[in-house]
Amino acid sequence: MVRLGCPLRRSGGALCSSREPRRKPCTRNQAGSRRTSAGPAGAHGSMFKKILIANRGEIALRVICACKELGIKAVAVYSEPDRNSLHVRFADEALCIGPARAGESYLNIPAVISAAEIANVDAIHPGYGLLSENANFAHVCEASGLKFIGPPPEIIRMMGEKDKARQAMKLCGVPILPGSDGVIATEEEAQRWAQEVGFPVIVKASAGGGGRGMRIIRSAEELPHMFSAAHSEAASAFGNGDLYMEKFIERPRHIEFQVLADEHGNVVSLDERDCSIQRRHQKLVEESPSPRVTPELRSRINGILEKTMKDIGYVGAGTVEFLMDEDGSLYFIEMNTRIQVEHPVTEFVTDVDLVKSQILIAAGAKLTDIIQQPIISRGHSIECRINAEHPEKFTPSAGRITVFNAPGGTGVRVDTAQYQEGVVPPYYDSLIAKLIVRGKDRPEAIARMKRALDMFIVEGIYTSIPLHKRIMEDPDFVAGNYDTKFMERFLPKK
Ligand code: MV4
């Protein structure tokens, strides 16, 4: 690993200001200086030689794994407190891009682009969170002659406008909930839609996600207050107060489908993950297949999504989120244009490497050349997110890990950037590891998860491991009887 001090720390945006002339898009490709036509991207693409990973933690390490297996050099960027991180150690080169605060480092677009220029990379992988769904960042990458490993900026932008995404999906024949046609301009219009849809309804921020700017409305009387509260919250959180409306589902399951699309119009939908076990919009446990998705429903949704992603010109890995109502129907709610935290669950059942696929797709490969088709899902996979937090109070738990033993053995995968004597900094996401298992069926996967949780030792900080052990023992979880309200019922038990 070549470590390059902290060259960008004090320069901030200056290294990449508009004073510097930018290369025209794709001149690097045309010059052909660093991409080669050999390798797994095949006849339709020139393989990357070097990729910058604009992320930290386990996902940065996950992308490094994919790079190593593809014979691509990996460049890490890191903030000052992350200097001893494993993503720095296992990268071929690493550049410090700023101080602890993410806004000045991992979210600092000029610093990231400058690092990419200095390291002379071909492409940038954004991981999840941070800049991964920032259409402007994707645009700046392309304008700087750097391939953004993800969909085109216009697609990211469209999916980020949730009401537009909803309309686009509706036009393509994806089932959506009854609701408004696009943005609602006034309270009067909101009342009209609510009458049409029938209470309860939910208003959501067009620019939203993660539950902010959302209000459940149960009667015409409470609508004026709820509508204006949602508007204000959206305006201050996202700088955009636009709202749309849907019929409210009381106890939905959260089910999402994984898709992959190449630049040549080929699409594959890789079945679903059930992510209903969550607390305050933070997922805790994910599994595939969903205990409530029938083979017929799965195959129908896979088919609809393959056609839809082709129609909208989707490229890369993506996740299409649905809510399932009491009678088992699925309704589209949002699409995520990034690799997701829980992608290993799909990798275990489909045997497709989603991160390698992202890279090869960005290099121009055809799906038929990189993954075996048809996709045949086998067995059952479960993921537990191990967070550095108190298992009952849910308060973050930063500090030094004094003892660390990650489980292994048949059917067990641990994605982590943590290690014994490592430090969990207080500045970032509390996810420190993902424990993923596969089994021939759901009972075997649960048994394997229980034994793996027992063998996962983390001392020095609090983690959610004890909470996961309890969830795996819960009769409703074991029976597959759960929805997005599961944790609200589960937590008071104890
Ligand atoms: C809903 C809903 C019920 N009905 N939409 C929450 C986050 C946002 N991405 C979508 N969310 C919801 N939308 C309708 N029409 C309930 C939720 C919801 C939820 C969804 C998925 C996972 C966890 C959740 C927790 C609370 C509310």
Side-chain angles (χ1 to χ4, degrees):
M1 193 265 300
V2 181
R3 192 191 291 257
L4 294 163
C6 248
L8 307 177
R9 185 157 66 84
R10 275 166 295 276
S11 33
L15 271 178
C16 195
S17 74
S18 52
R19 286 181 282 109
E20 275 185 63
R22 281 258 86 81
R23 255 181 233 97
K24 285 198 217 83
C26 297
T27 50
R28 288 177 183 214
N29 270 339
Q30 283 151 9
S33 56
R34 279 168 307 100
R35 283 172 75 173
T36 143
S37 56
H44 288 271
S46 54
M47 201 44 213
F48 304 127
K49 287 189 171 161
K50 212 181 197 188
I51 292 175
L52 180 137
I53 300 147
N55 216 300
R56 64 181 301 283
E58 68 86 18
I59 194 62
L61 213 44
R62 171 70 187 86
V63 179
I64 290 172
C65 292
C67 288
K68 285 184 182 288
E69 292 178 20
L70 289 171
I72 299 169
K73 293 246 181 293
V75 178
V77 293
Y78 61 99
S79 66
E80 287 169 28
D82 277 345
R83 74 182 70 82
N84 295 318
S85 298
L86 288 191
H87 81 282
V88 172
R89 177 179 294 221
F90 291 127
D92 295 287
E93 295 169 36
L95 290 99
C96 180
I97 52 166
R101 192 207 293 260
E104 294 175 43
S105 49
Y106 297 109
L107 288 170
N108 181 344
I109 294 177
V112 172
I113 297 289
S114 300
E117 300 274 350
I118 289 166
N120 203 22
V121 301
D122 307 305
I124 299 188
H125 194 301
Y128 53 66
L130 299 175
L131 296 169
S132 62
E133 291 179 286
N134 185 317
N136 178 50
F137 177 65
H139 169 77
V140 172
C141 286
E142 310 280 277
S144 304
L146 300 157
K147 185 76 182 179
F148 175 81
I149 301 174
E154 313 82 66
I155 300 259
I156 301 176
R157 189 167 291 116
M158 198 254 287
M159 293 305 175
E161 297 175 38
K162 313 291 178 190
D163 64 293
K164 290 214 178 65
R166 182 177 133 90
Q167 295 303 15
M169 293 292 170
K170 181 186 180 181
L171 281 174
C172 292
V174 180
I176 61 166
L177 287 157
S180 63
D181 283 327
V183 170
I184 305 169
T186 63
E187 184 195 309
E188 291 68 43
E189 205 187 316
Q191 288 286 14
R192 280 203 303 277
W193 280 119
Q195 293 306 324
E196 176 152 341
V197 170
F199 290 101
V201 298
I202 183 169
V203 287
K204 298 181 175 182
S206 299
R212 276 203 295 179
M214 240 172 57
R215 288 291 184 285
I216 301 159
I217 308 177
R218 297 189 179 277
S219 67
E221 293 71 60
E222 63 181 40
L223 186 141
H225 170 73
M226 292 294 189
F227 187 78
S228 94
H231 173 81
S232 310
E233 195 173 303
S236 70
F238 313 115
N240 170 5
D242 286 354
L243 302 174
Y244 65 105
M245 184 184 290
E246 283 173 357
K247 177 81 186 162
F248 179 66
I249 308 288
E250 293 283 354
R251 297 183 165 295
R253 288 180 83 109
H254 179 186
I255 290 166
E256 57 187 32
F257 278 70
Q258 176 71 54
V259 297
L260 280 177
D262 68 20
E263 293 178 344
H264 314 282
N266 307 297
V267 183
V268 64
S269 178
L270 299 105
D271 300 348
E272 81 286 357
R273 298 182 286 258
D274 197 319
C275 308
S276 302
I277 308 282
Q278 56 83 45
R279 184 188 166 274
R280 298 199 180 165
H281 306 296
Q282 295 291 347
K283 293 167 186 165
L284 293 168
V285 178
E286 303 98 343
E287 64 178 313
S288 185
S290 166
R292 287 292 173 275
V293 173
T294 63
E296 296 69 36
L297 179 60
R298 175 177 303 121
S299 134
R300 184 164 67 82
I301 300 291
N302 279 336
I304 291 173
L305 293 180
E306 284 170 359
K307 178 188 172 295
T308 298
M309 293 302 123
K310 186 179 170 71
D311 288 352
I312 66 176
Y314 196 82
V315 179
T319 299
V320 187
E321 296 188 352
F322 294 86
L323 295 183
M324 179 184 271
D325 68 9
E326 313 267 317
D327 46 80
S329 306
L330 289 176
Y331 303 94
F332 169 83
I333 50 166
E334 294 176 18
M335 178 161 192
N336 302 315
T337 57
R338 59 173 190 273
I339 191 77
Q340 296 211 200
V341 175
E342 59 271 25
H343 76 273
V345 154
T346 297
E347 293 187 326
F348 251 155
V349 293
T350 62
D351 207 27
V352 170
D353 186 315
L354 293 169
V355 178
K356 273 196 210 173
S357 300
Q358 284 187 294
I359 294 169
L360 293 169
I361 286 167
K366 286 173 129 179
L367 274 183
T368 45
D369 294 332
I370 61 175
I371 56 179
Q372 86 291 352
Q373 291 191 60
I375 304 285
I376 302 160
S377 292
R378 276 178 217 282
H380 199 98
S381 178
I382 305 176
E383 170 175 279
C384 287
R385 295 192 187 190
I386 314 298
N387 292 319
E389 66 190 15
H390 194 281
E392 278 107 43
K393 294 183 279 188
F394 293 99
T395 47
S397 181
R400 185 172 297 275
I401 294 173
T402 54
V403 180
F404 192 84
N405 180 67
T410 303
V412 175
R413 166 173 171 183
V414 178
D415 279 19
T416 184
Q418 279 306 332
Y419 54 94
Q420 190 151 315
E421 296 298 320
V423 172
V424 180
Y427 315 107
Y428 311 107
D429 193 287
S430 65
L431 183 82
I432 56 158
K434 304 187 304 202
L435 173 55
I436 313 104
V437 299
R438 74 156 293 162
K440 66 180 188 300
D441 52 20
R442 194 167 185 270
E444 186 177 75
I446 293 174
R448 190 161 278 162
M449 180 61 84
K450 286 201 222 172
R451 74 91 176 152
L453 285 165
D454 284 340
M455 295 169 129
F456 208 146
I457 309 296
V458 182
E459 290 176 10
I461 58 166
Y462 287 110
T463 76
S464 49
I465 292 171
L467 177 70
H468 286 300
K469 289 180 182 173
R470 287 177 48 221
I471 296 173
M472 292 302 127
E473 302 276 359
D474 182 89
D476 284 331
F477 178 79
V478 170
N481 284 330
Y482 61 82
D483 55 50
T484 51
K485 293 249 164 67
F486 175 85
M487 290 306 291
E488 286 172 37
R489 295 191 294 275
F490 176 84
L491 286 171
K493 288 183 198 169
K494 165 77 188 168

